[in-house]
Amino acid sequence: MKIAIGADHAGYATKQAVVELLSRRGIAVEDVGAHSAAAADYPDYAREVARRVADGRADEGVLICSTGIGMSIAANRFGGVRAALCATPDDAARARTHNNANVLVLGAARLTAGHVEAVIRAWLENAFSAEERHARRLAKIESNAEDQDELRALRRADPELREILCGEIARQRDALNLIASENYASRAVREAQGSALINKYAEGYPGRRWYHGCEFADAAEQLALTRARALFGAEHANVQPHCGSAANMAVYFAALSPGDTILAMSLAHGGHLTHGHKLNFSGRLFNVIGYGVDRATERIDMRALAALAREHKPRLIVVGASAYPRALDFAAFRAVADEAGAMLMVDMAHIAGLVAGGSHASPVPYADFVTTTTHKTLRGPRSGMILCRDRFADDIDRQVFPGIQGGPEMHTVAAKAACLREALQPSFRAYAAQVTANARALAGTMRGDGLRLVSGGTDNHLALVDLTGLGISGADAAAMLERAGIIVNKNAIPFDARGPLTASGIRIGTAAVTTRGMKEPEMLRVGALIREVLHSAGDGKILDRVRGVVAELTARFPVP
Ligand code: PLP
């Protein structure tokens, strides 16, 4: 056991006595000063001791000033430090057993030498009781401290912006977020995203940069790359794309020449803008043929897809969607691609977390290229990533930089490393399984009384609810739900009679609420609330009542 000890001038003499006392008991002591009774500032010594306890260089600390009050205040500003001002042996015993204090603070002016010895003895002889009520209260202290840290610098620097951001924090906390493409990144991911790497330019790749001073940028990117390859079993990874769209662009530029033919799922049936929408770069640069779902089953029509592939001989087949609730059969897509002599790209943006957690089959063994966002079910920063076979590695890397991007956002690369580590933990498998279980439970409540599930159900994290039978549009439904504190988005359903701006459906996803810890019973409750709103005809009283229930529910499931 090692104890760090510090004192100002008023505590100097007592410190010398305590050092001797501890040393006599065979305890290793690090004396950070002061080393004389000349006037000194107590926060300097509080900092040295607190830092050592916080980062593990010392197991515990002792701080002494005249009253002990200044030292307590100063030391308790450091995360992980629990400094307790103790005047009696009973204080010291309780500080240990109840509060798990790790820094003992003494007021030299209040204690005789005999008192000091008795307090120290009580401190050393007691340990944390680990009783549930004490552990619970300590966890609350830590969580309060983290909340206080949030936006602390902005309090002075930009109160106007801070107010806006506080509003967003409250909105995310108080609403039920069922947007299928969103999630709550952990504090660790957000810390990495806000880290010093935000200041670093690092054009190029680890060990091959156009900038100097890249030693830590290299290390962070290597970590992200190693973790990405390990998590998905990929031969090569590129973690630099700024977003999912950039990842797709880099693959198109690596695999295709302008004018080449792509076969991709049409937006109207659940595909994504970057899969060939006419206003998007993909639709403007390439000849895009859209495939879709079968009218009866509302599942991807593999036979029609194979016929289109035979007819159009695409150079690339794109698999993946933003609003498709069913599992994707990558082996079947590979067979179609092989028959047509096409390359296969899977955009797993929506399902990456399910793939990582083993709740959806992996596209990696089948696809030449796999692209993804990192912020949906994967629960990382808002960004993108590419996985590919080794033989495409150089091409992909060249297309990302210098092809379509300049310097990578190294802070976001670090945040991707943090999220990939989280996804490698066994707990992430449980998370992914719960996301799909929750989606099944929630979707199950969306049948009957004018509601219908596109394709009859869900295999992944989302469901598409057809509101045609209710006679309201997706836009109206989403607006009513928002007033009731439930956030979803309007979504076209396959063969939609309405235009995309109003749409006949809503898309509901469970990635975010599962991160908050909600399970099937909560999903049944949420489903009942959604039904109530959808049948409310916009009655303000009903919407307000539901909003109250939502507030109660969300208060029980804190955001990370
Ligand atoms: N691919 C799919 C399937 C998506 O759903 C999305 C975003 O929703 C993207 C790509 C694009 O991601 P980003 O918004 O990061 O460009």
Side-chain angles (χ1 to χ4, degrees):
M1 151 121 124
K2 183 171 171 186
I3 291 186
I5 186 165
D8 66 358
H9 52 286
Y12 173 71
T14 307
K15 170 170 71 70
Q16 300 308 100
V18 173
V19 169
E20 208 185 302
L21 220 145
L22 293 173
S23 303
R24 252 193 280 130
R25 284 177 165 251
I27 294 170
V29 180
E30 185 183 4
D31 184 351
V32 303
H35 297 295
S36 79
D41 295 340
Y42 64 84
D44 296 342
Y45 304 101
R47 181 189 63 232
E48 291 311 307
V49 168
R51 276 192 180 156
R52 282 165 173 74
V53 173
D55 67 22
R57 278 177 291 161
D59 301 298
E60 290 168 15
V62 177
L63 285 167
I64 311 162
C65 63
S66 175
T67 60
I69 294 170
M71 282 294 195
S72 308
I73 292 171
N76 277 319
R77 299 298 288 264
F78 289 78
V81 168
R82 294 174 298 281
L85 174 57
C86 300
T88 65
D90 187 49
D91 285 352
R94 280 168 185 260
R96 300 286 273 165
T97 53
H98 291 200
N99 312 113
N100 199 16
N102 51 14
V103 174
L104 169 66
V105 187
L106 301 172
R110 308 268 159 81
L111 298 168
T112 64
H115 265 110
V116 168
E117 187 162 358
V119 171
I120 295 273
R121 201 178 321 118
W123 173 268
L124 293 175
E125 284 169 3
N126 284 281
F128 184 46
S129 71
E131 269 180 55
E132 194 280 329
R133 67 194 162 121
H134 297 315
R136 185 181 70 237
R137 289 162 191 166
L138 286 173
K140 287 191 174 176
I141 292 176
E142 292 306 325
S143 146
N144 290 349
E146 283 174 353
D147 287 348
Q148 270 303 307
D149 278 352
E150 189 113 30
L151 309 180
R152 205 164 63 186
L154 277 175
R155 197 186 295 272
R156 268 200 220 133
D158 193 342
E160 196 182 354
L161 176 61
R162 185 175 186 277
E163 202 177 314
I164 294 170
L165 298 181
C166 285
E168 176 61 11
I169 289 171
R171 188 195 69 77
Q172 292 190 15
R173 184 193 59 213
D174 300 339
L176 255 176
N177 182 11
L178 298 175
I179 302 263
S181 50
E182 293 182 4
N183 210 328
Y184 297 100
S186 69
R187 281 184 193 260
V189 166
R190 286 157 55 201
E191 241 173 53
Q193 174 88 12
S195 69
L197 279 170
I198 200 169
N199 302 319
K200 188 69 198 106
Y201 245 114
E203 281 179 0
Y205 290 96
R208 298 177 280 141
R209 304 284 192 191
W210 290 86
Y211 283 74
H212 286 266
C214 288
E215 141 196 27
F216 297 105
D218 279 6
E221 185 165 347
Q222 278 298 6
L223 206 54
L225 290 169
T226 308
R227 289 173 180 174
R229 287 193 302 262
L231 181 63
F232 293 108
E235 289 178 11
H236 181 75
N238 186 307
V239 291
Q240 293 194 4
H242 296 328
C243 59
S245 299
N248 288 349
M249 184 187 262
V251 169
Y252 294 159
F253 286 5
L256 307 166
S257 301
D260 278 353
T261 298
I262 305 177
L263 193 52
M265 188 147 173
S266 71
L267 185 66
H269 285 207
H272 185 254
L273 272 181
T274 54
H275 298 179
H277 189 272
K278 63 181 189 310
L279 296 177
N280 183 262
F281 76 89
S282 52
R284 288 158 63 194
L285 289 181
F286 305 105
N287 173 39
V288 184
I289 309 294
Y291 64 86
V293 298
D294 173 77
R295 198 177 265 276
T297 62
E298 295 177 306
R299 294 175 184 240
I300 292 172
D301 186 341
M302 293 303 289
R303 257 207 264 164
L305 168 72
L308 284 172
R310 276 192 293 272
E311 182 187 344
H312 296 281
K313 292 269 171 264
R315 200 162 161 67
L316 183 72
I317 295 180
V318 177
V319 184
S322 300
Y324 185 64
R326 291 303 184 175
L328 296 163
D329 181 352
F330 299 122
F333 282 103
R334 178 81 253 177
V336 173
D338 285 346
E339 194 201 328
M343 285 184 281
L344 187 67
M345 166 182 141
V346 174
D347 176 348
M348 63 168 181
H350 263 266
I351 55 169
L354 306 184
V355 171
S359 289
H360 191 295
S362 171
V364 171
Y366 303 99
D368 299 297
F369 310 96
V370 176
T371 60
T372 185
T373 54
T374 48
H375 48 270
K376 299 185 174 89
T377 49
L378 194 53
R379 213 164 59 180
R382 284 202 55 85
S383 201
M385 185 164 74
I386 302 171
L387 309 169
C388 66
R389 302 258 158 91
D390 260 341
R391 68 193 152 101
F392 298 117
D394 289 346
D395 258 5
I396 286 294
D397 287 354
R398 254 198 311 275
Q399 289 305 334
V400 174
F401 172 84
I404 62 168
Q405 291 185 177
E409 296 178 349
M410 292 314 301
H411 54 302
T412 312
V413 169
K416 280 181 250 193
C419 113
L420 291 164
R421 185 178 189 283
E422 289 175 5
L424 279 159
Q425 307 310 309
S427 57
F428 199 83
R429 293 187 81 78
Y431 166 69
Q434 191 64 54
V435 168
T436 53
N438 280 354
R440 274 195 305 277
L442 183 57
T445 66
M446 296 286 115
R447 293 188 181 105
D449 296 332
L451 301 179
R452 187 187 75 85
L453 286 171
V454 169
S455 82
T458 175
D459 301 322
N460 57 24
H461 62 300
L462 68 85
L464 259 187
V465 186
D466 176 5
L467 306 167
T468 310
L470 267 189
I472 58 173
S473 71
D476 288 341
M480 280 195 298
L481 286 163
E482 184 172 12
R483 274 192 60 196
I486 302 172
I487 313 297
V488 304
N489 55 287
K490 64 174 179 280
N491 214 104
I493 58 167
F495 311 101
D496 205 324
R498 295 182 195 261
L501 290 180
T502 48
S504 297
I506 51 171
R507 185 182 68 162
I508 51 179
T510 52
V513 288
T514 307
T515 295
R516 295 182 81 150
M518 293 188 192
K519 296 204 162 87
E520 289 91 334
E522 287 76 37
M523 294 302 100
L524 300 184
R525 190 115 192 265
V526 170
L529 294 174
I530 294 176
R531 294 180 72 96
E532 208 176 326
V533 171
L534 294 179
H535 288 100
S536 71
D539 180 334
K541 275 206 198 102
I542 298 176
L543 301 187
D544 287 348
R545 202 193 64 73
V546 172
R547 199 179 179 93
V549 181
V550 166
E552 254 170 55
L553 186 62
T554 51
R556 288 199 289 119
F557 294 91
V559 297

